[in-house]
Amino acid sequence: SFVDSALAGLALAPLHVAHGPTVVANGNVLTPTDVEHFPTEITAPVSADGLYTLMLVDPDAPTPENPMYACWVHSLQVNVAGANLASGGDVVVAYVPSAPGAKGGEHRYAWLLLAQPGHVDPAFTAHIPVNSGFPPRRSFNVGATIASLGLTPAAAAHYRASYDPTCDRVHAAVNAVAQ
């Protein structure tokens, strides 16, 4: 997947992401219940005056064995101030928590923080409505977005998650928006 191949070997700073007391630690296993709400803390050793793009993607949608919808975008914000990564910026795609299907196996999720060369017009992804459901979130091209906006990978964190009952609520909400 893009997340594995394009970011491999890059010297990325650690991205601290916490959902209340639950911390995303590179590769740890979290439950969808743990990450049901947008993170309460996001920090990285980046310029407080810089502008950043923050995204959460799933390269394993719908299953790791058949990731035909990779990358599924769970959250996308642009123009996020380095001094306040957890709030602020322009929401392009509203946060939806991890929600692998009951038969989807364990998925990988990557938080990516990307430095912007300047202000980004949030309409650059006008084809993805802010409260988009499925299918507009699927097959998001992370690499093309980085290239077209001139973004520079700055920090990252990742975790893994499998199905739990929270996923049913998330699927119902996403499907209701998509209809």
Tab-separated table of all heavy atoms in Angstrom, residues 106-131:
chain	number	residue	atom	x	y	z
A	106	GLU	N	-7.965	-7.790	10.748
A	106	GLU	CA	-7.289	-6.677	11.403
A	106	GLU	C	-6.805	-5.683	10.346
A	106	GLU	O	-6.128	-6.058	9.398
A	106	GLU	CB	-6.101	-7.206	12.210
A	106	GLU	CG	-5.424	-6.150	13.048
A	106	GLU	CD	-4.359	-6.745	13.943
A	106	GLU	OE1	-3.232	-6.938	13.443
A	106	GLU	OE2	-4.668	-7.037	15.115
A	107	HIS	N	-7.169	-4.409	10.522
A	107	HIS	CA	-6.763	-3.350	9.595
A	107	HIS	C	-5.676	-2.498	10.214
A	107	HIS	O	-5.600	-2.353	11.433
A	107	HIS	CB	-7.959	-2.438	9.282
A	107	HIS	CG	-8.966	-3.038	8.374
A	107	HIS	ND1	-9.554	-2.340	7.355
A	107	HIS	CD2	-9.522	-4.270	8.336
A	107	HIS	CE1	-10.425	-3.109	6.720
A	107	HIS	NE2	-10.414	-4.287	7.309
A	108	ARG	N	-4.871	-1.898	9.348
A	108	ARG	CA	-3.878	-0.912	9.762
A	108	ARG	C	-4.470	0.477	9.526
A	108	ARG	O	-5.175	0.695	8.540
A	108	ARG	CB	-2.592	-1.051	8.943
A	108	ARG	CG	-1.902	-2.386	9.156
A	108	ARG	CD	-0.871	-2.649	8.082
A	108	ARG	NE	-1.566	-2.746	6.785
A	108	ARG	CZ	-0.989	-2.550	5.603
A	108	ARG	NH1	0.281	-2.224	5.528
A	108	ARG	NH2	-1.686	-2.663	4.488
A	109	TYR	N	-4.163	1.396	10.423
A	109	TYR	CA	-4.626	2.772	10.294
A	109	TYR	C	-3.431	3.687	10.478
A	109	TYR	O	-2.632	3.488	11.397
A	109	TYR	CB	-5.700	3.092	11.345
A	109	TYR	CG	-6.939	2.271	11.128
A	109	TYR	CD1	-7.053	1.009	11.694
A	109	TYR	CD2	-7.958	2.729	10.305
A	109	TYR	CE1	-8.181	0.221	11.463
A	109	TYR	CE2	-9.078	1.946	10.067
A	109	TYR	CZ	-9.181	0.705	10.645
A	109	TYR	OH	-10.281	-0.070	10.403
A	110	ALA	N	-3.299	4.691	9.613
A	110	ALA	CA	-2.154	5.600	9.681
A	110	ALA	C	-2.625	7.039	9.793
A	110	ALA	O	-3.405	7.515	8.960
A	110	ALA	CB	-1.280	5.438	8.438
A	111	TRP	N	-2.150	7.693	10.853
A	111	TRP	CA	-2.284	9.146	10.976
A	111	TRP	C	-1.073	9.748	10.295
A	111	TRP	O	0.066	9.379	10.608
A	111	TRP	CB	-2.289	9.571	12.449
A	111	TRP	CG	-3.597	9.408	13.134
A	111	TRP	CD1	-3.945	8.419	14.008
A	111	TRP	CD2	-4.727	10.268	13.032
A	111	TRP	NE1	-5.236	8.616	14.446
A	111	TRP	CE2	-5.740	9.749	13.866
A	111	TRP	CE3	-4.986	11.438	12.316
A	111	TRP	CZ2	-6.984	10.351	14.002
A	111	TRP	CZ3	-6.222	12.039	12.450
A	111	TRP	CH2	-7.209	11.507	13.278
A	112	LEU	N	-1.302	10.657	9.362
A	112	LEU	CA	-0.209	11.304	8.635
A	112	LEU	C	-0.305	12.807	8.829
A	112	LEU	O	-1.383	13.397	8.661
A	112	LEU	CB	-0.284	10.982	7.145
A	112	LEU	CG	-0.330	9.504	6.771
A	112	LEU	CD1	-0.553	9.341	5.278
A	112	LEU	CD2	0.943	8.812	7.210
A	113	LEU	N	0.802	13.422	9.177
A	113	LEU	CA	0.890	14.878	9.288
A	113	LEU	C	1.842	15.336	8.205
A	113	LEU	O	2.991	14.882	8.146
A	113	LEU	CB	1.409	15.280	10.673
A	113	LEU	CG	1.453	16.789	10.929
A	113	LEU	CD1	0.036	17.377	10.967
A	113	LEU	CD2	2.189	17.083	12.227
A	114	LEU	N	1.356	16.217	7.346
A	114	LEU	CA	2.109	16.632	6.167
A	114	LEU	C	2.242	18.152	6.148
A	114	LEU	O	1.229	18.869	6.263
A	114	LEU	CB	1.388	16.148	4.902
A	114	LEU	CG	1.090	14.643	4.941
A	114	LEU	CD1	-0.272	14.329	4.391
A	114	LEU	CD2	2.174	13.888	4.225
A	115	ALA	N	3.462	18.641	6.011
A	115	ALA	CA	3.701	20.083	5.972
A	115	ALA	C	3.215	20.653	4.646
A	115	ALA	O	3.468	20.084	3.582
A	115	ALA	CB	5.184	20.373	6.166
A	116	GLN	N	2.502	21.761	4.733
A	116	GLN	CA	2.005	22.451	3.541
A	116	GLN	C	2.954	23.586	3.182
A	116	GLN	O	3.513	24.234	4.064
A	116	GLN	CB	0.616	23.054	3.816
A	116	GLN	CG	-0.442	22.054	4.124
A	116	GLN	CD	-1.780	22.695	4.512
A	116	GLN	OE1	-2.647	22.000	4.992
A	116	GLN	NE2	-1.962	23.996	4.315
A	117	PRO	N	3.111	23.887	1.879
A	117	PRO	CA	3.957	25.012	1.493
A	117	PRO	C	3.272	26.358	1.741
A	117	PRO	O	3.904	27.404	1.682
A	117	PRO	CB	4.204	24.780	0.005
A	117	PRO	CG	3.046	23.956	-0.444
A	117	PRO	CD	2.642	23.116	0.733
A	118	GLY	N	1.992	26.353	2.013
A	118	GLY	CA	1.203	27.560	2.246
A	118	GLY	C	-0.239	27.151	2.467
A	118	GLY	O	-0.546	25.974	2.672
A	119	HIS	N	-1.140	28.112	2.403
A	119	HIS	CA	-2.567	27.842	2.587
A	119	HIS	C	-3.076	26.939	1.459
A	119	HIS	O	-2.707	27.110	0.298
A	119	HIS	CB	-3.342	29.162	2.593
A	119	HIS	CG	-4.790	28.994	2.883
A	119	HIS	ND1	-5.727	28.786	1.894
A	119	HIS	CD2	-5.467	28.981	4.056
A	119	HIS	CE1	-6.922	28.652	2.453
A	119	HIS	NE2	-6.793	28.777	3.756
A	120	VAL	N	-3.920	25.968	1.806
A	120	VAL	CA	-4.522	25.058	0.827
A	120	VAL	C	-6.011	25.370	0.734
A	120	VAL	O	-6.696	25.502	1.752
A	120	VAL	CB	-4.321	23.583	1.251
A	120	VAL	CG1	-5.157	22.644	0.396
A	120	VAL	CG2	-2.852	23.206	1.167
A	121	ASP	N	-6.509	25.488	-0.480
A	121	ASP	CA	-7.937	25.692	-0.688
A	121	ASP	C	-8.654	24.394	-0.328
A	121	ASP	O	-8.418	23.372	-0.968
A	121	ASP	CB	-8.205	26.050	-2.142
A	121	ASP	CG	-9.671	26.280	-2.454
A	121	ASP	OD1	-10.527	26.102	-1.552
A	121	ASP	OD2	-9.963	26.639	-3.605
A	122	PRO	N	-9.546	24.418	0.687
A	122	PRO	CA	-10.229	23.182	1.085
A	122	PRO	C	-11.080	22.575	-0.030
A	122	PRO	O	-11.421	21.406	0.030
A	122	PRO	CB	-11.117	23.616	2.256
A	122	PRO	CG	-10.592	24.920	2.702
A	122	PRO	CD	-9.885	25.532	1.532
A	123	ALA	N	-11.376	23.336	-1.057
A	123	ALA	CA	-12.180	22.815	-2.170
A	123	ALA	C	-11.373	21.920	-3.105
A	123	ALA	O	-11.915	21.388	-4.063
A	123	ALA	CB	-12.790	23.970	-2.959
A	124	PHE	N	-10.080	21.710	-2.798
A	124	PHE	CA	-9.260	20.868	-3.684
A	124	PHE	C	-9.831	19.466	-3.801
A	124	PHE	O	-9.582	18.773	-4.769
A	124	PHE	CB	-7.797	20.818	-3.234
A	124	PHE	CG	-7.501	19.796	-2.154
A	124	PHE	CD1	-7.076	18.523	-2.483
A	124	PHE	CD2	-7.671	20.114	-0.817
A	124	PHE	CE1	-6.812	17.579	-1.489
A	124	PHE	CE2	-7.410	19.179	0.167
A	124	PHE	CZ	-6.978	17.914	-0.169
A	125	THR	N	-10.616	19.051	-2.829
A	125	THR	CA	-11.252	17.738	-2.880
A	125	THR	C	-12.769	17.886	-2.915
A	125	THR	O	-13.484	17.203	-2.206
A	125	THR	CB	-10.859	16.864	-1.681
A	125	THR	OG1	-11.212	17.554	-0.494
A	125	THR	CG2	-9.394	16.521	-1.674
A	126	ALA	N	-13.247	18.767	-3.741
A	126	ALA	CA	-14.677	19.027	-3.807
A	126	ALA	C	-15.482	17.761	-4.104
A	126	ALA	O	-16.664	17.690	-3.804
A	126	ALA	CB	-14.965	20.083	-4.864
A	127	HIS	N	-14.823	16.749	-4.661
A	127	HIS	CA	-15.512	15.492	-4.949
A	127	HIS	C	-15.742	14.651	-3.692
A	127	HIS	O	-16.418	13.636	-3.740
A	127	HIS	CB	-14.727	14.685	-5.987
A	127	HIS	CG	-13.374	14.255	-5.510
A	127	HIS	ND1	-12.324	15.127	-5.405
A	127	HIS	CD2	-12.917	13.068	-5.080
A	127	HIS	CE1	-11.269	14.485	-4.938
A	127	HIS	NE2	-11.603	13.231	-4.732
A	128	ILE	N	-15.185	15.072	-2.557
A	128	ILE	CA	-15.396	14.349	-1.292
A	128	ILE	C	-16.161	15.282	-0.359
A	128	ILE	O	-15.581	16.178	0.235
A	128	ILE	CB	-14.060	13.946	-0.624
A	128	ILE	CG1	-13.215	13.101	-1.560
A	128	ILE	CG2	-14.329	13.196	0.677
A	128	ILE	CD1	-11.856	12.749	-1.001
A	129	PRO	N	-17.478	15.105	-0.209
A	129	PRO	CA	-18.233	15.975	0.689
A	129	PRO	C	-17.735	15.848	2.124
A	129	PRO	O	-17.272	14.791	2.539
A	129	PRO	CB	-19.665	15.461	0.576
A	129	PRO	CG	-19.689	14.599	-0.636
A	129	PRO	CD	-18.288	14.111	-0.851
A	130	VAL	N	-17.863	16.941	2.891
A	130	VAL	CA	-17.359	16.962	4.262
A	130	VAL	C	-17.931	15.821	5.099
A	130	VAL	O	-17.217	15.171	5.834
A	130	VAL	CB	-17.655	18.322	4.923
A	130	VAL	CG1	-17.364	18.275	6.416
A	130	VAL	CG2	-16.813	19.405	4.274
A	131	ASN	N	-19.207	15.559	5.016
A	131	ASN	CA	-19.814	14.491	5.803
A	131	ASN	C	-20.045	13.261	4.945
A	131	ASN	O	-21.063	12.599	5.041
A	131	ASN	CB	-21.119	14.965	6.443
A	131	ASN	CG	-20.839	15.978	7.524
A	131	ASN	OD1	-19.968	15.771	8.351
A	131	ASN	ND2	-21.555	17.076	7.498
